[in-house]
Amino acid sequence: MLPTPAQTETGQAQPEQSTAAAARPSDLVRDELPEVSTTPTDPNLKPPTEEQVLEALREVVDPELMVNIVDLGLVYGVDIDEHANVLLDMTLTSPTCPLTDQLEWGAQAALDGIANEVTINWVWLPPWSLDRITDDGREQLRYIGFNV
């Protein structure tokens, strides 16, 4: 007798997968981030100022709080070298934030064109607190219903 498709070579029965099991919600989530520009570094790119970097980073919005990372106080420091490479000291509202990759990609994408390379140094001390939120950030949070 030939084994049925639901049996292995040893004759053990294998549970058949239903089509519902093949379409789990987690299978529908795309966990690939868009690619950041792969253009080579430009040796003639003028290094941006700290103000230009912070202004560009205001485009990066924390998807949970809907406020940009600068006004949330997540950017602890900006270091720019003579080759237009940017090192960001950043933190998160929680060390277990599931959106770390998205925020990192967003920061790199926001600085594409004004910086050659962007490196993020995740720091945890001092820990982030509500005191770090700017007045603009507080206004944005109040607008969406937070009491800060």
Side-chain angles (χ1 to χ4, degrees):
M1 177 162 128
L2 295 173
T4 63
Q7 292 179 338
T8 65
E9 293 176 10
T10 62
Q12 299 289 327
Q14 293 291 323
E16 292 194 30
Q17 290 185 353
S18 69
T19 55
R24 298 180 309 231
S26 62
D27 292 337
L28 302 175
V29 176
R30 294 182 59 200
D31 54 1
E32 297 175 10
L33 295 173
E35 291 198 24
V36 177
S37 173
T38 58
T39 56
T41 59
D42 181 357
N44 299 318
L45 186 63
K46 181 181 172 190
T49 64
E50 183 174 344
E51 292 78 26
Q52 289 171 318
V53 168
L54 292 173
E55 187 60 34
L57 290 175
R58 281 190 166 82
E59 295 177 17
V60 183
V61 175
D62 182 296
E64 292 180 316
L65 297 175
M66 302 308 294
V67 176
N68 71 71
I69 62 175
V70 175
D71 287 328
L72 274 178
L74 299 181
V75 180
Y76 279 14
V78 176
D79 187 32
I80 306 160
D81 71 13
E82 67 275 3
H83 302 291
N85 298 317
V86 175
L87 172 66
L88 299 173
D89 285 336
M90 286 181 52
T91 195
L92 300 166
T93 56
S94 164
T96 59
C97 176
L99 302 168
T100 306
D101 291 340
Q102 185 174 355
L103 293 176
E104 186 168 349
W105 173 83
Q108 291 172 340
L111 296 175
D112 189 33
I114 67 168
N116 278 320
E117 291 184 29
V118 178
T119 304
I120 298 179
N121 178 38
W122 295 107
V123 295
W124 307 110
L125 294 174
W128 180 85
S129 70
L130 294 174
D131 297 335
R132 297 202 47 92
I133 302 174
T134 67
D135 289 339
D136 287 342
R138 290 177 188 281
E139 186 176 324
Q140 293 170 50
L141 286 169
R142 281 188 212 107
Y143 183 76
I144 59 174
F146 287 95
N147 184 18
V148 289

